Amino acid sequence: MFSGGGTGNQGKIKGKAGSSSGSSSSSGSGSDSSESAASGSSSGSNSISSHTHDSGDSSSGTTPLGTPPHVQMASHESLNSESKSSSLNSKLGHESAGSPSAGSPSPPKSACSSSSTSTDHHHHQLSHVLSATSKMTVREGSRTLRPDEPSLFPGEHLEGTAREVTYLCPYTGPKKGTLSVTNYRLYFRSPETDPPYELEVPLGVVSRIEKVGGANTSRGENSYGIEIFCKDIRNLRFAHKQENHSRRMVTEKLLQHAFPASHKLPFFAFEYCEQYPENGWTLYEPIAELKRQGLPNESWRITKINEQYEICETYPAVWAVPAAASDNDLRSVATFRSRGRIPVLSWIHPESQATITRCAQPLVGVGGKRSRDDEAYIQHIMDANAQSHKIFIMDARPNVNAVANKAKGGGYENEDAYQNAEVQFLDIHNIHVMRESLRKLQEVCYPHIDNAHWLSNLEATHWLDHIRCVLSGSLRIADKVESHKTSVVVHCSDGWDRTAQLTALAMLMLDGYYRTIQGFAVLIEKEWLSFGHKFAQRIGHGDDRHQDADRSPVFLQFVDCVWQIMRQFPHAFQFTEDLLLTLLDHLYSCLFGTFLYNSERERMEKEVKTKTISLWSLVLSNMSDYENPLYNPATRHHILFPLTSMRHLRLWDKYYCRWNPSMRQQEPVHIRFKELLHVNGQLEKRVDELRKELAARQTHESPESLQLWFNFNK
């Protein structure tokens, strides 16, 4: 084992001989919603001592935890007039509304019959910042768009426009302009600056909308309007003139299209009809991924017993299970596991055959019920790994929560009943604790940052404590599989929250394939989407119940953990954090069908694959925007053991603080490296041209010139 992979020797990489380790996914367990919301602050498990050391705290492009984040962050609501505001912090496009920028790939062509007839609109791919600076009026269908109205995406249409509206920016002060609402986004444009100030917010980002000030109570300027609370760590406030009577119209349109599920309207993803060169829906095929890992083999088989989702409606149609277990055994085990989520294979080590399987809690209850079939099934999983006569059951919950779940019919495995099994609790708190932690973090980061008390305020949120617990638990799983060659069963309550975090992160550490762009997409499709993480409930897609107790930033925590690992191993990932930011922006946007609904079954019933576009279509069609020039393909055969102690973790301020224009970001290393590679390529091309020129003239030159040419080419 050798240390490396990150600047400052921040983590350990274990070299692995032979081909890249395979991977596979399976079901998950750990319903967080069934636990008490009164759990205290995070007290997650310590990282494995053999993989943590004290050498080096530095990291390229980041600053120590004690440094206020203003030296890092770039603004999306810039202080200077040259910047634009946007809700999308991703590489969604390369053109402004007028014409494609130099060097940009051709945008996808629209397949929507109702799309704009304007050439501008056909060239308008989703851009990071909507630019509507053209002084011309533009035609959209049969109507003429004014310069202060947005150019529309294929399938988008204007719902209403309010003029003389003031955006109360918390950083640069009030700005008067035009507020437009479409069936996809809110768009504000102010001509008071040069170039005009613009702000765009996909309506899927909106959590709640409140009216501010009444007709009879408002006296001060800008005291009458609406406030919009967003899911991406920001709030927006717009002031209306009472005499214009525009607030009611804007509020009604926003409520209708920000919460389509509550108004029986389709998500915009079903109306968006852009065409991309790549079809992201074909990226993940479960049997192909299992075969990549070497299945089926003598110990594991592939079954379609759940093809009609009859055994478990929240599991995928295809499972990998122990070959020794019959279909009748699977049905019996399903009756003893919460929601029918039985232990199914997620990943198998290509050499030792040690596995990661995921499931839900056993239905032990206060009476301590047992299931001989379930006990035998766990034994089959252990026996499938000939190199170990022990199996670890990693319960993501704190012990006290697991015990409390017995009163609700759940619980955890009794080591006396499960021979050769050891149960370990990873002390990761439930969805309610995580939701409250993020709320506190939002108060610390938006709109203003108290630099004098930054560290104490950040500590009080316990956000990094929770990140540490998730990373430490994932590292423990990866260590058992890689170093001890022992199989691990992972669950929490229902297996669709913390379980997905743990299995996906452990697989990311163990298998370099998942650290490529396509492999990372497969990992999310497999461990999160197919195994039923409840995206609709956790994010609240399209519904107006902002106080719903099922909402929680579980997937956000996972992406944050991925970023923490990337910091420590900047050469081990084919992609940059731009891909992570794109994922999170479209987690909320409802522009693509990828994250809609709660399970594979629901997506199939809603015909998501045939009626919407996959987020991976965007990513695969613009691969160069996400590629990491520092990536070393040789690391694909390495195991990553990140350091998980608190002093090695950082707040991901490029995400959490990105709306603050004072958070100036240093140029990322990979951007500068790309520029240098481009310059180097141009110089090498010029050298080749000069050599050919000299070679062509060699028969006509003097011996002295030939000698110079020879010396130059040595």
Side-chain angles (χ1 to χ4, degrees):
M1 183 179 296
F2 63 91
S3 61
T7 320
N9 204 19
Q10 290 173 309
K12 289 191 176 182
I13 303 181
K14 181 172 181 179
K16 196 169 79 176
S19 62
S20 170
S21 58
S23 53
S24 150
S25 78
S26 180
S27 71
S29 67
S31 162
D32 297 341
S33 58
S34 63
E35 294 181 18
S36 170
S39 300
S41 63
S42 172
S43 59
S45 58
N46 294 327
S47 59
I48 299 172
S49 59
S50 61
H51 297 306
T52 57
H53 52 86
D54 296 334
S55 60
D57 265 340
S58 63
S59 170
S60 60
T62 58
T63 52
L65 181 62
T67 306
H70 62 272
V71 298
Q72 286 287 332
M73 276 309 305
S75 163
H76 290 248
E77 291 179 351
S78 177
L79 284 172
N80 61 63
S81 61
E82 295 179 0
S83 297
K84 311 270 186 195
S85 288
S86 168
S87 66
L88 299 183
N89 187 27
S90 58
K91 303 285 186 180
L92 300 186
H94 310 273
E95 302 96 35
S96 50
S99 61
S101 59
S104 301
S106 299
K109 295 181 180 179
S110 170
C112 188
S113 59
S114 62
S115 63
S116 167
T117 59
S118 167
T119 304
D120 288 342
H121 292 165
H122 286 296
H123 283 289
H124 182 71
Q125 189 184 14
L126 286 179
S127 58
H128 172 57
V129 177
L130 264 186
S131 175
T133 56
S134 171
K135 303 300 181 184
M136 304 168 55
T137 57
V138 188
R139 281 207 166 272
E140 201 288 317
S142 60
R143 62 183 293 277
T144 299
L145 292 180
R146 295 167 52 110
D148 55 0
E149 295 177 351
S151 298
L152 302 178
F153 302 153
E156 184 181 20
H157 51 82
L158 193 64
E159 290 289 333
T161 300
R163 312 196 191 281
E164 294 187 87
V165 174
T166 302
Y167 169 51
L168 304 178
C169 177
Y171 306 111
T172 60
K175 298 183 185 304
K176 186 173 294 185
T178 301
L179 182 64
S180 301
V181 180
T182 75
N183 56 332
Y184 167 60
R185 60 189 156 135
L186 174 151
Y187 176 77
F188 175 81
R189 185 175 188 270
S190 171
E192 294 182 346
T193 59
D194 187 21
Y197 181 91
E198 294 172 306
L199 174 68
E200 173 195 357
V201 184
L203 298 183
V205 172
V206 176
S207 176
R208 75 180 192 270
I209 301 166
E210 292 185 0
K211 293 182 179 179
V212 178
N216 299 321
T217 59
S218 300
R219 294 290 183 267
E221 186 180 5
N222 298 331
S223 60
Y224 177 85
I226 58 175
E227 186 163 8
I228 300 172
F229 298 85
C230 300
K231 301 169 185 174
D232 60 356
I233 321 290
R234 60 172 167 168
N235 303 328
L236 307 170
R237 186 165 177 175
F238 295 92
H240 294 251
K241 290 187 175 181
Q242 296 187 31
E243 58 269 24
N244 290 350
H245 305 290
S246 61
R247 186 176 77 166
R248 174 182 293 181
M249 181 275 296
V250 169
T251 303
E252 288 177 354
K253 294 298 183 183
L254 285 176
L255 287 171
Q256 186 178 17
H257 294 284
F259 310 120
S262 298
H263 292 83
K264 294 182 170 50
L265 293 175
F267 290 106
F268 180 72
F270 289 91
E271 301 181 61
Y272 178 57
C273 48
E274 196 76 85
Q275 281 189 339
Y276 291 90
E278 301 290 338
N279 179 9
W281 292 124
T282 64
L283 178 71
Y284 171 61
E285 205 290 309
I287 293 181
E289 169 58 16
L290 290 172
K291 287 182 176 179
R292 184 189 73 84
Q293 301 180 48
L295 269 67
N297 56 34
E298 62 180 11
S299 300
W300 293 87
R301 66 185 178 95
I302 298 173
T303 177
K304 294 185 177 180
I305 188 176
N306 198 46
E307 192 168 21
Q308 302 301 320
Y309 307 103
E310 294 175 351
I311 307 297
C312 178
E313 63 180 14
T314 61
Y315 259 16
V318 176
W319 301 351
V321 297
S326 67
D327 285 354
N328 286 334
D329 293 334
L330 301 181
R331 292 186 179 91
S332 179
V333 172
T335 63
F336 189 67
R337 291 282 168 173
S338 179
R339 318 281 182 171
R341 297 172 67 92
I342 74 171
V344 204
L345 182 72
S346 275
W347 190 78
I348 183 169
H349 197 288
E351 297 163 6
S352 69
Q353 302 298 295
T355 59
I356 298 174
T357 51
R358 54 180 295 177
C359 59
Q361 65 182 338
L363 300 179
V364 175
V366 292
K369 288 195 301 183
R370 292 179 58 177
S371 168
R372 301 293 183 186
D373 292 321
D374 189 78
E375 294 163 15
Y377 186 78
I378 298 296
Q379 184 69 37
H380 291 325
I381 295 175
M382 187 187 73
D383 292 342
N385 173 16
Q387 298 203 36
S388 177
H389 299 290
K390 187 174 185 179
I391 192 168
F392 285 94
I393 299 175
M394 299 291 188
D395 192 322
R397 302 167 292 185
N399 182 283
V400 63
N401 292 29
V403 172
N405 268 348
K406 287 186 175 182
K408 303 175 183 178
Y412 57 94
E413 293 83 355
N414 186 333
E415 292 181 357
D416 294 334
Y418 292 83
Q419 298 297 316
N420 303 311
E422 180 179 333
V423 179
Q424 295 186 2
F425 295 95
L426 301 180
D427 296 320
I428 302 172
H429 286 279
N430 62 30
I431 62 171
H432 312 293
V433 174
M434 304 308 184
R435 181 177 60 248
E436 178 63 14
S437 178
L438 182 64
R439 186 193 64 77
K440 292 179 180 178
L441 182 62
Q442 180 177 9
E443 292 177 352
V444 170
C445 295
Y446 189 91
H448 301 291
I449 291 174
D450 181 1
N451 285 323
H453 302 93
W454 169 253
L455 281 178
S456 58
N457 290 342
L458 178 60
E459 182 183 16
T461 68
H462 296 290
W463 184 256
L464 289 180
D465 287 325
H466 300 316
I467 295 297
R468 176 185 60 81
C469 288
V470 175
L471 276 173
S472 296
S474 304
L475 179 61
R476 190 183 298 186
I477 294 168
D479 180 65
K480 295 298 183 188
V481 172
E482 174 63 23
S483 303
H484 299 272
K485 297 179 172 53
T486 308
S487 295
V488 179
V489 177
V490 185
H491 73 73
C492 44
S493 297
D494 287 328
W496 44 48
D497 291 314
R498 288 166 288 191
T499 301
Q501 290 177 331
L502 293 168
T503 57
L505 288 170
M507 292 159 63
L508 195 74
M509 298 173 192
L510 291 166
D511 192 341
Y513 169 68
Y514 295 126
R515 302 193 289 270
T516 66
I517 294 176
Q518 292 191 6
F520 189 62
V522 167
L523 180 67
I524 292 173
E525 284 282 343
K526 187 162 74 74
E527 289 301 293
W528 289 90
L529 291 160
S530 73
F531 279 101
H533 175 65
K534 303 199 297 184
F535 279 102
Q537 289 189 17
R538 296 294 179 256
I539 306 303
H541 286 144
D543 74 61
D544 55 8
R545 302 188 303 272
H546 65 273
Q547 292 184 323
D548 189 345
D550 278 333
R551 295 194 182 183
S552 189
V554 178
F555 187 73
L556 169 60
Q557 280 187 317
F558 161 72
V559 176
D560 194 329
C561 289
V562 173
W563 179 82
Q564 301 287 345
I565 301 173
M566 290 174 65
R567 273 189 64 254
Q568 297 189 29
F569 303 99
H571 308 294
F573 290 81
Q574 188 189 18
F575 52 89
T576 66
E577 67 178 342
D578 290 336
L579 178 59
L580 304 184
L581 293 167
T582 298
L583 285 180
L584 292 178
D585 284 327
H586 290 298
L587 174 66
Y588 306 119
S589 73
C590 297
L591 183 64
F592 300 99
T594 302
F595 295 119
L596 298 182
Y597 306 109
N598 289 318
S599 65
E600 181 179 288
R601 176 184 180 177
E602 288 185 20
R603 294 182 195 96
M604 184 191 70
E605 291 174 347
K606 299 295 183 180
E607 301 178 83
V608 168
K609 286 191 175 183
T610 57
K611 293 185 177 180
T612 72
I613 299 170
S614 167
L615 171 59
W616 312 123
S617 298
L618 168 71
V619 172
L620 297 178
S621 300
N622 299 277
M623 288 268 286
S624 61
D625 292 339
Y626 306 104
E627 287 176 346
N628 175 16
L630 303 177
Y631 175 59
N632 180 1
T635 61
R636 182 163 171 171
H637 307 298
H638 294 158
I639 310 301
L640 307 186
F641 287 125
L643 302 176
T644 60
S645 61
M646 281 296 293
R647 63 189 189 82
H648 291 287
L649 303 182
R650 302 287 182 271
L651 181 73
W652 188 14
D653 45 15
K654 188 173 181 180
Y655 178 76
Y656 299 109
C657 305
R658 60 180 173 161
W659 310 116
N660 192 329
S662 67
M663 314 303 281
R664 300 297 181 191
Q665 181 195 11
Q666 297 175 349
E667 185 178 52
V669 174
H670 70 270
I671 297 295
R672 182 59 179 155
F673 194 74
K674 275 186 178 180
E675 293 173 354
L676 293 175
L677 286 176
H678 178 68
V679 172
N680 184 67
Q682 290 180 321
L683 292 174
E684 288 181 347
K685 183 179 179 181
R686 180 59 179 154
V687 167
D688 288 340
E689 290 172 353
L690 290 173
R691 283 175 174 166
K692 291 176 182 178
E693 215 175 286
L694 286 169
R697 292 164 51 188
Q698 64 180 334
T699 57
H700 306 288
E701 297 292 340
S702 63
E704 292 82 3
S705 298
L706 291 175
Q707 184 63 42
L708 286 173
W709 179 86
F710 177 76
N711 292 337
F712 181 79
N713 282 275
K714 279 201 303 184

